[in-house]
Amino acid sequence: MKLSQAELERFDRDGYLFFPGRFTPQEAGVLHRAAEEVYAMHRDEVWREKSGAPRTAFAAHLYNEAFRRLGAHPRLIEPVMQLLGGPVYMHQYKVNAKAAFDGEVWQWHQDYGTWARDDEMPEPRAMNISVFLDEVTAANGPLLLIPGSHKQGVVAAGHDLETTSYPLWTLDRETVTRLAEEGGCVAPTGPAGSMLMFSSLLVHASPPNISPFGRTIVYLSLNHVDNYIRKLQRKEWIAHRDFTPIDPLSDDCLAELAEMAKSAA
Amino acid sequence: MKLSQAELERFDRDGYLFFPGRFTPQEAGVLHRAAEEVYAMHRDEVWREKSGAPRTAFAAHLYNEAFRRLGAHPRLIEPVMQLLGGPVYMHQYKVNAKAAFDGEVWQWHQDYGTWARDDEMPEPRAMNISVFLDEVTAANGPLLLIPGSHKQGVVAAGHDLETTSYPLWTLDRETVTRLAEEGGCVAPTGPAGSMLMFSSLLVHASPPNISPFGRTIVYLSLNHVDNYIRKLQRKEWIAHRDFTPIDPLSDDCLAELAEMAKSAA
């Protein structure tokens, strides 16, 4: 699970690494079914678009077995421990849908901007690692990244309470344009099971999905245990307060669950 | 300029053909500068988004030299004459911007649906051929196509007068979903100068552009001269009334213009 020297250098330069098909179709299938289960739940953690379509299930690792296993999967936890230089805990866990036709925009932002301002996370010693549960294409609202933008530190932002149902510290257009003129703008696309890791300082966004195909991505936001948040203001299932280091499970933990489901069927 | 037998078969099956980089960067550059010129004009033919950003310049071949030449370029006219089986005239000519941050959606539609309902064009013996004036990527609002959807004939549609500044006959979600489950959904992406031709019955759309990069595409809608429109209801610069067959210029007509501009500078 170790990142190579070349990968470490690319992460340092670009602020992200993309691994198409890192999880098997079988593993991605288990997680996709889990997403359908949690989106069918009526709980505070499950947020919807203005249209009623699911948008985000927070903290799904606490109430779904497949997402619990993914939350300690060595393919996710170990490279992040390597990059952050030590044990990590789960700061945030999101299963983000981008519903067919109705999936809304996420405006340009840095995650650490929100974590610093809202949660008093001391340093950007935290990052995201995500798994695609559907094929992500140019058509269904891919994540857009500005390579190299993580080198800018925390960029000035305004609190957007209007665009969508989720409050977010977003960047102004002049800043986004300036960063993209330097670094460009990329949209990693790939099959279900692809894995994307990116710096908590990387500027990113995602467009609305007008296509007839939904797409769901799970995001783990992992934080170095020494860098735990100081301000417990947001809901505990949005900015977690359990700072216990994650002990990675075995590499076949999801495949095992798929086998169990198959033999039970 | 002739399409091969394999290309003809692919067009018949998918309803479109894509040729990345069919025009040189020099040719695309001449056209890009021409687009900036026409968008700076205040004329009835130049439409803007609600934000004021340019959206469409209609009939630009009638008031700009580069677009005049493109409107008779053999790389565009000859393959369309081949597919439609005879001489063609210009039914519509659009320079469509998708402005950075502000570029709005075009909902799912068939062009022939509009031409039949609004203009009484007798048959779908008409088609679009377009040239990218910027690189089109997953990030900046690419055109989305449903391959094979041109085999359905004219699909039921409702008149959308609200979503954007341009009235359009758009398809409902159930229909789009059904067609995409059969044919999928593709987003041709490529460098400035790429050429895309597609059936007037092909179902297509394009998402908003939230990226910091604009993208402009020129669309020629060419109609077989026998299939001229019967109802002259829309503005003459939206649904043209000059049914004169187009006589293709020479293949270097745009390169020549670029050279002239260079030696004049």
Side-chain angles (χ1 to χ4, degrees):
Chain A
M1 296 305 109
K2 285 273 175 196
L3 299 171
S4 69
Q5 189 56 35
E7 286 166 339
L8 292 170
E9 285 166 15
R10 218 162 66 230
F11 185 87
D12 178 63
R13 184 191 67 198
D14 296 338
Y16 75 96
L17 289 171
F18 182 53
F19 302 91
R22 187 72 145 196
F23 288 79
T24 67
Q26 188 197 35
E27 290 169 325
V30 169
L31 295 166
H32 198 280
R33 284 187 293 281
E36 288 166 12
E37 286 164 25
V38 303
Y39 288 142
M41 294 178 178
H42 292 274
R43 329 176 36 117
D44 288 347
E45 296 93 331
V46 181
W47 289 28
R48 296 177 195 284
E49 308 275 15
K50 289 163 184 167
S51 70
R55 178 178 174 93
T56 298
F58 286 99
H61 63 311
L62 301 182
Y63 49 87
N64 177 281
E65 177 60 16
F67 288 130
R68 183 188 72 79
R69 294 181 182 219
L70 186 72
H73 202 290
R75 268 173 259 167
L76 303 180
I77 304 302
E78 288 177 4
V80 174
M81 287 175 63
Q82 185 185 355
L83 274 167
L84 298 180
V88 297
Y89 77 91
M90 187 72 68
H91 171 59
Q92 191 172 75
Y93 193 112
K94 295 192 292 282
V95 187
N96 278 8
K98 181 81 82 174
F101 298 112
D102 279 320
E104 287 177 18
V105 68
W106 288 84
Q107 303 285 8
W108 292 98
H109 68 286
Q110 297 174 300
D111 283 0
Y112 181 68
T114 298
W115 302 340
R117 292 175 183 103
D118 290 356
D119 305 327
E120 285 184 14
M121 185 185 286
E123 305 276 345
R125 285 185 83 183
M127 59 180 287
N128 291 305
I129 188 159
S130 63
V131 180
F132 297 178
L133 305 194
D134 296 289
E135 184 183 7
V136 174
T137 71
N140 64 358
L143 204 66
L144 310 182
L145 312 174
I146 299 184
S149 57
H150 64 304
K151 300 273 191 189
Q152 302 280 326
V154 178
V155 178
H159 210 188
D160 177 6
L161 301 167
E162 288 177 15
T163 306
T164 68
S165 57
Y166 188 74
L168 201 64
W169 290 90
T170 59
L171 276 57
D172 66 43
R173 293 178 171 193
E174 291 66 31
T175 306
V176 174
T177 303
R178 178 174 57 78
L179 295 173
E181 277 168 359
E182 288 167 24
C185 180
V186 300
T189 56
S194 296
M195 180 175 105
L196 175 70
M197 49 200 306
F198 57 100
S199 162
S200 61
L201 288 169
L202 196 73
V203 175
H204 62 287
S206 72
N209 181 8
I210 68 160
S211 88
F213 298 117
R215 69 105 176 119
T216 298
I217 300 180
V218 190
Y219 293 86
L220 282 62
S221 302
L222 297 161
N223 190 12
H224 192 286
V225 291
D226 297 345
N227 195 44
Y228 64 92
I229 61 172
R230 305 311 202 238
K231 189 167 158 193
L232 307 183
Q233 164 188 270
R234 298 200 292 170
K235 300 273 188 202
E236 63 188 357
W237 38 266
I238 292 185
H240 304 161
R241 300 168 189 184
D242 177 355
F243 308 138
T244 313
I246 298 168
D247 198 11
L249 297 172
S250 71
D251 192 71
D252 65 350
C253 62
L254 280 173
E256 183 191 65
L257 195 63
E259 287 304 322
M260 282 162 58
K262 211 163 76 179
S263 50
Chain B
M1 296 304 109
K2 283 272 177 198
L3 300 172
S4 68
Q5 189 56 33
E7 287 167 339
L8 292 171
E9 285 167 16
R10 219 161 67 230
F11 185 88
D12 178 64
R13 184 192 67 197
D14 297 337
Y16 75 97
L17 288 171
F18 182 52
F19 302 91
R22 186 72 144 199
F23 288 78
T24 67
Q26 187 197 36
E27 290 168 324
V30 169
L31 295 166
H32 197 280
R33 283 187 293 280
E36 288 166 12
E37 287 165 25
V38 302
Y39 289 142
M41 294 178 176
H42 291 273
R43 325 176 39 115
D44 288 347
E45 296 93 331
V46 180
W47 289 29
R48 298 180 193 282
E49 308 275 14
K50 289 163 185 169
S51 70
R55 178 179 175 93
T56 297
F58 286 98
H61 64 311
L62 300 182
Y63 50 87
N64 177 282
E65 177 61 16
F67 288 130
R68 184 189 72 80
R69 292 180 183 219
L70 186 72
H73 202 289
R75 271 172 257 167
L76 302 180
I77 304 302
E78 288 179 4
V80 174
M81 287 175 63
Q82 186 185 355
L83 273 167
L84 296 180
V88 297
Y89 78 91
M90 188 73 68
H91 170 60
Q92 190 172 74
Y93 192 112
K94 294 191 295 281
V95 187
N96 279 8
K98 180 81 81 173
F101 298 112
D102 280 320
E104 287 176 20
V105 68
W106 289 85
Q107 303 285 7
W108 292 98
H109 67 284
Q110 297 173 300
D111 283 1
Y112 181 68
T114 298
W115 303 339
R117 290 174 184 105
D118 290 356
D119 306 326
E120 284 184 15
M121 185 185 285
E123 304 275 343
R125 285 186 84 182
M127 58 180 288
N128 291 305
I129 187 158
S130 62
V131 179
F132 297 179
L133 304 193
D134 296 289
E135 185 184 6
V136 175
T137 71
N140 64 359
L143 204 67
L144 310 182
L145 313 174
I146 300 184
S149 57
H150 64 304
K151 300 273 191 188
Q152 302 282 325
V154 178
V155 178
H159 209 189
D160 177 6
L161 301 167
E162 288 177 15
T163 305
T164 69
S165 57
Y166 188 75
L168 201 66
W169 290 91
T170 60
L171 275 57
D172 65 43
R173 294 178 170 193
E174 291 66 33
T175 306
V176 174
T177 303
R178 176 174 58 78
L179 295 172
E181 277 167 0
E182 288 168 24
C185 180
V186 300
T189 57
S194 296
M195 181 176 104
L196 175 70
M197 50 200 304
F198 57 99
S199 161
S200 62
L201 287 170
L202 196 73
V203 175
H204 62 287
S206 72
N209 181 8
I210 68 160
S211 88
F213 299 117
R215 68 103 177 120
T216 298
I217 300 179
V218 189
Y219 294 86
L220 281 63
S221 301
L222 298 161
N223 190 12
H224 192 286
V225 291
D226 296 345
N227 196 45
Y228 64 92
I229 61 173
R230 305 312 200 238
K231 189 169 159 191
L232 308 182
Q233 163 187 272
R234 297 201 291 170
K235 300 273 187 202
E236 63 189 356
W237 39 266
I238 292 185
H240 304 161
R241 299 169 189 183
D242 176 355
F243 309 137
T244 313
I246 298 169
D247 198 10
L249 297 172
S250 72
D251 191 71
D252 66 351
C253 61
L254 280 173
E256 183 191 66
L257 195 63
E259 288 304 322
M260 282 162 58
K262 211 162 75 179
S263 52

